[in-house]
Amino acid sequence: MLERFMTGASTYSGSVDHLIFLIAALVGFWLIVAEAFFFWLMFRYRHREGRTTQYVTGDEKELKRWISVPHMLVIVCDLVIVVGAVKVWMDIKQTMPPAEQTVRIYAQQWAWSFVDPGPDGMLDTGDDIRTVGELHVKVNTTYHFELLSRDVLHSFCVPAFRLKQDAVPGRTIRGWFRATRPGTYDIQCTQMCGMGHGVMAGRVIVETPEQHAQWLERVSNPAFAPQQAVSSPAPASAASAQVAEVRP
Ligand code: CUA
């Protein structure tokens, strides 16, 4: 249903959407019931000439039921949400399906840079491809990522993948995704990281195997390298990153 408002482009985007819908439906139901009852009480017991206010302490058994019964029902709904949330969490964050490809993601004030393993499929070899602001991935391929921060806390968020993961200085955080639909999707930092937080954006470009092979060939060409692919270390600011960005 959320698909109508925002594209879902990963294998787990649907299960995150279902969870959000489940929460909205349960919370929405109780919101409507509680507000309707509240307004009915206000109307039913509004001021009338000659009728005096009834003072209730709330200690009476039959009055207490008005609190305890809805309370129990809300707790049952909470449990349903907890079970659904734990299941989705386990699938996305606790279980790593075997990687077909591994990429490295660097967060820094205020740009994203990426290391693709290049034609040999291995990180930390001579043919690694470094890009700034653009992550190129193959559709229907399980990617593991190693997420690092060069300075402060950041958060790697790809809304279309329903993926969000904090980057913590000093730690290498691993996660995964499998894109299901070719296209260009936004990356946005979602953890306050200083002045440029709001403009710390990037793009994931999900390509067909043919498009990806063409991209690899283009950026692996030595003639291409100096201006367009970024050599290590990544530039220190988003402004210089823009200049060095790999253009499709
Ligand atoms: Cu990086 Cu906010």
Side-chain angles (χ1 to χ4, degrees):
M1 184 174 170
L2 288 176
E3 278 269 317
R4 243 193 277 167
F5 303 101
M6 188 165 69
T7 313
S10 77
T11 45
Y12 46 66
S13 59
S15 56
V16 173
D17 288 355
H18 286 144
L19 186 62
I20 291 171
F21 183 75
L22 175 74
I23 295 169
L26 290 177
V27 172
F29 171 78
W30 283 106
L31 175 76
I32 289 165
V33 168
E35 294 304 302
F37 187 61
F38 178 61
F39 280 100
W40 178 77
L41 285 177
M42 286 205 300
F43 177 77
R44 175 81 176 73
Y45 296 102
R46 67 192 183 281
H47 171 72
R48 284 216 184 108
E49 275 314 319
R51 186 162 75 184
T52 52
T53 310
Q54 186 189 6
Y55 289 100
V56 291
T57 62
D59 287 335
E60 299 85 344
K61 250 193 174 166
E62 66 275 16
L63 292 180
K64 270 187 181 170
R65 272 204 299 260
W66 285 99
I67 300 203
S68 56
V69 172
H71 188 191
M72 293 296 175
L73 292 173
V74 167
I75 287 178
V76 170
C77 293
D78 275 351
L79 288 175
V80 171
I81 291 173
V82 167
V83 169
V86 167
K87 199 188 162 300
V88 170
W89 182 264
M90 293 299 287
D91 287 350
I92 299 175
K93 297 287 189 183
Q94 301 295 111
T95 326
M96 297 268 278
E100 291 171 73
Q101 192 77 272
T102 302
V103 290
R104 194 170 292 142
I105 305 170
Y106 288 101
Q108 71 190 97
Q109 290 171 319
W110 289 281
W112 297 101
S113 50
F114 306 95
V115 184
D116 184 278
D120 72 351
M122 307 257 291
L123 280 172
D124 302 316
T125 53
D127 67 347
D128 287 1
I129 295 158
R130 292 168 184 273
T131 56
V132 175
E134 277 190 5
L135 172 63
H136 288 252
V137 298
K138 259 184 291 182
V139 72
N140 296 325
T141 304
T142 303
Y143 277 81
H144 282 193
F145 59 80
E146 299 175 357
L147 178 61
L148 297 99
S149 168
R150 294 188 198 270
D151 38 45
V152 299
L153 281 178
H154 299 271
S155 182
F156 181 72
C157 176
V158 184
F161 290 180
R162 311 294 190 265
L163 166 64
K164 189 182 272 190
Q165 176 60 58
D166 273 13
V168 182
R171 284 184 61 186
T172 301
I173 296 173
R174 285 164 221 281
W176 72 282
F177 60 83
R178 186 181 171 93
T180 53
R181 198 178 286 192
T184 300
Y185 305 104
D186 290 337
I187 299 169
Q188 175 59 48
C189 180
T190 48
Q191 190 69 268
M192 271 304 293
C193 57
M195 284 284 285
H197 161 69
V199 293
M200 190 172 161
R203 291 183 292 178
V204 187
I205 296 155
V206 179
E207 298 160 324
T208 61
E210 298 77 42
Q211 289 169 332
H212 193 73
Q214 279 169 14
W215 172 77
L216 261 184
E217 201 177 320
R218 201 165 64 242
V219 293
S220 301
N221 181 348
F224 178 85
Q227 312 85 1
Q228 290 154 69
V230 178
S231 59
S232 175
S237 75
S240 57
Q242 281 302 324
V243 177
E245 195 180 41
V246 174
R247 300 259 167 222

